[in-house]
Amino acid sequence: MAWKTFDMSRSDVADDKVALSDFRSTDQVAITRGEYVMRLADCAACHKLNFAGGYKIDTPFGSLVTSNITPDVKTGIGAMIERVLQRGQTRHWLARPALSGNALHRLYHAQRQGHARLSGLHVNHRIGEQGDQRKNAGMNFLYNIRLAIAGWDMLFFDNTQYITEVTQSEDWNRGKYLTDGPAHCGTCHTPRNLLGGERTDDYMQGALLGTWYAPDITPNPHTGIGNRSVDRLTTYLQTGSDGFAVAAGPMAEAVEHSFQYYSTPDLQAIGTYLKSLAASDHKPGKPMIMSEAASANAALGYEVNCYACHGLEGEGIEGMVTAFAGNHRMLSDDPTNLIHTMLMGTRAPHTEARQAAAGMPSFAWKMSDQEVADILNYVRNSWGNGAPAVTANQVAEMRAALGAHEKLSAPKTRRCSDLDEKSSVAAVLLKAPLHPAVPF
């Protein structure tokens, strides 16, 4: 098993002489392709737009800081050679599983992509310090030992390269390559076991990511993408909205920094592949029954706080504001994303096609835990929707996890008779003579 895991012989064709800081290319075609591969892989999601890293990621195993992938020699990848990069290694030997190695090592199924990626890398500015891995000591014991990663790799690292399925179409194969490779969809949408390995039996069936939830993207008609066509999926990934739902949170970042740059055929290929998967067996939860009084009170709260954007009938604003009516994404048994959005606010992705990037404010300061739950229960159980109850305890737990504001308390109103008569304001108010009304 160890030989199979660590056999990197297919990388032997890669250059092992030129340090990346010294690499230069005048091949504009290769540079352009390298940039496209970088967009496909969404490197900016973790390494920031300047690729200097420094982004903190909290995991169940401790906190890590993403690495600097600019050609800086001291803290970046400038001292590395192409072969090491292609093997998914770092200056400190084995890369942490956060690198999504199972996905990204498939980028090199064709050697031309490796060279093209390097052609794109050398044009980056060299930036030091921000993602200096020498300072990355936030992982808990055992997980902070590089050698221990070898054990994890033996259990969970899939060292096989992508193999074309001859019985499937070209679109399907391209879609599977993109989904499992550079787009690394399973990194978020596939649940993980206690050691952080992907539970392959639950492939793409939804997973909790800290304070966000990556939903089921199998063709399940209730919790997944069963009611979305390939064209609708393509529009969603390309623009951030399919005219009904609007991307938010980490998915909005993925659309803004990565998916909107995919070619239309590549996005259609991803849709083709996802629609071919076996649907999860997730069933819709039992809808709650709201009392007439609770429903009326929640409806008033919705009208005061939500209808201006989402509409009195939950219709939303096409391409800008999520619709609630008939939106299956609203009905998940896991209300994490809804609670997160209510407490922290969010915004849509900024894309070339939809540049408004509409934002939603936080309501943490304005609503108690129960009030947030009531609003969510109303939208999840109105206009033909039906979903299990969101509880005040769930909101309270999320509020604590996010460090969100508590509801502001209104200042106590004081009556004139309660004022201190010795105060100048009170004296004026209480002793001022009455004047007849002055006609206008």
Side-chain angles (χ1 to χ4, degrees), residues 3 43 67 86 91 123 126 162 166 203 284 294 313 336 347 354 362 380 422 429:
W3 177 85
C43 304
S67 58
Q86 185 165 330
R91 293 181 296 115
V123 303
R126 302 183 185 190
Y162 181 74
V166 295
Y203 179 66
E313 299 299 324
T336 294
R347 74 169 180 85
R354 302 188 189 278
S362 163
R380 281 160 55 92
K422 294 181 180 180
L429 291 175

Side-chain angles (χ1 to χ4, degrees), residues 415-428:
R415 297 173 298 175
C416 288
S417 58
D418 295 331
L419 294 175
D420 181 1
E421 291 191 17
K422 294 181 180 180
S423 68
S424 58
V425 175
V428 170

Side-chain angles (χ1 to χ4, degrees), residues 83-156:
R83 186 176 298 178
V84 172
L85 180 68
Q86 185 165 330
R87 289 175 175 175
Q89 297 175 353
T90 73
R91 293 181 296 115
H92 305 284
W93 186 35
L94 293 176
R96 300 187 189 279
L99 180 62
S100 303
N102 275 347
L104 297 185
H105 85 282
R106 289 186 173 88
L107 277 171
Y108 299 101
H109 78 297
Q111 184 60 24
R112 59 190 177 88
Q113 284 202 300
H115 289 299
R117 191 178 186 193
L118 291 179
S119 296
L121 279 174
H122 91 271
V123 303
N124 290 339
H125 297 295
R126 302 183 185 190
I127 303 175
E129 294 300 323
Q130 294 186 38
D132 187 348
Q133 290 298 290
R134 295 172 296 182
K135 301 176 182 178
N136 197 2
M139 299 298 287
N140 299 332
F141 175 69
L142 188 60
Y143 300 103
N144 63 351
I145 302 174
R146 289 278 176 177
L147 184 60
I149 298 173
W152 191 95
D153 283 349
M154 290 178 66
L155 291 172
F156 305 117

Side-chain angles (χ1 to χ4, degrees), residues 235-390:
T235 299
Y236 178 83
L237 293 174
Q238 199 164 53
T239 70
S241 175
D242 58 2
F244 189 73
V246 178
M251 192 62 201
E253 295 177 9
V255 170
E256 184 167 322
H257 301 307
S258 181
F259 284 120
Q260 71 163 315
Y261 297 98
Y262 277 50
S263 69
T264 298
D266 276 352
L267 291 177
Q268 290 173 332
I270 289 175
T272 297
Y273 173 67
L274 291 178
K275 293 285 288 185
S276 76
L277 298 178
S280 71
D281 60 1
H282 299 168
K283 305 295 183 184
K286 184 178 180 180
M288 70 173 294
I289 299 177
M290 295 184 73
S291 68
E292 188 174 328
S295 180
N297 189 56
L300 178 60
Y302 176 85
E303 184 173 347
V304 170
N305 296 286
C306 313
Y307 98 94
C309 294
H310 294 282
L312 281 176
E313 299 299 324
E315 68 273 20
I317 301 174
E318 184 176 352
M320 184 181 296
V321 178
T322 296
F324 294 153
N327 187 345
H328 288 179
R329 284 285 187 248
M330 299 287 301
L331 312 182
S332 171
D333 285 356
D334 190 321
T336 294
N337 293 348
L338 299 176
I339 299 173
H340 188 136
T341 300
M342 286 288 291
L343 294 176
M344 299 300 287
T346 190
R347 74 169 180 85
H350 178 270
T351 63
E352 183 178 3
R354 302 188 189 278
Q355 300 199 19
M360 174 175 162
S362 163
F363 285 90
W365 66 275
K366 192 177 183 181
M367 295 185 184
S368 67
D369 297 334
Q370 187 61 59
E371 288 168 332
V372 170
D374 287 345
I375 290 288
L376 293 180
N377 286 329
Y378 176 75
V379 301
R380 281 160 55 92
N381 291 278
S382 299
W383 314 299
N385 293 341
V390 177

Side-chain angles (χ1 to χ4, degrees), residues 3-22:
W3 177 85
K4 182 178 179 181
T5 299
F6 299 110
D7 175 27
M8 298 293 177
S9 58
R10 70 175 183 272
S11 301
D12 290 347
V13 293
D15 178 78
D16 63 348
K17 299 290 192 298
V18 181
L20 301 185
S21 60
D22 297 328

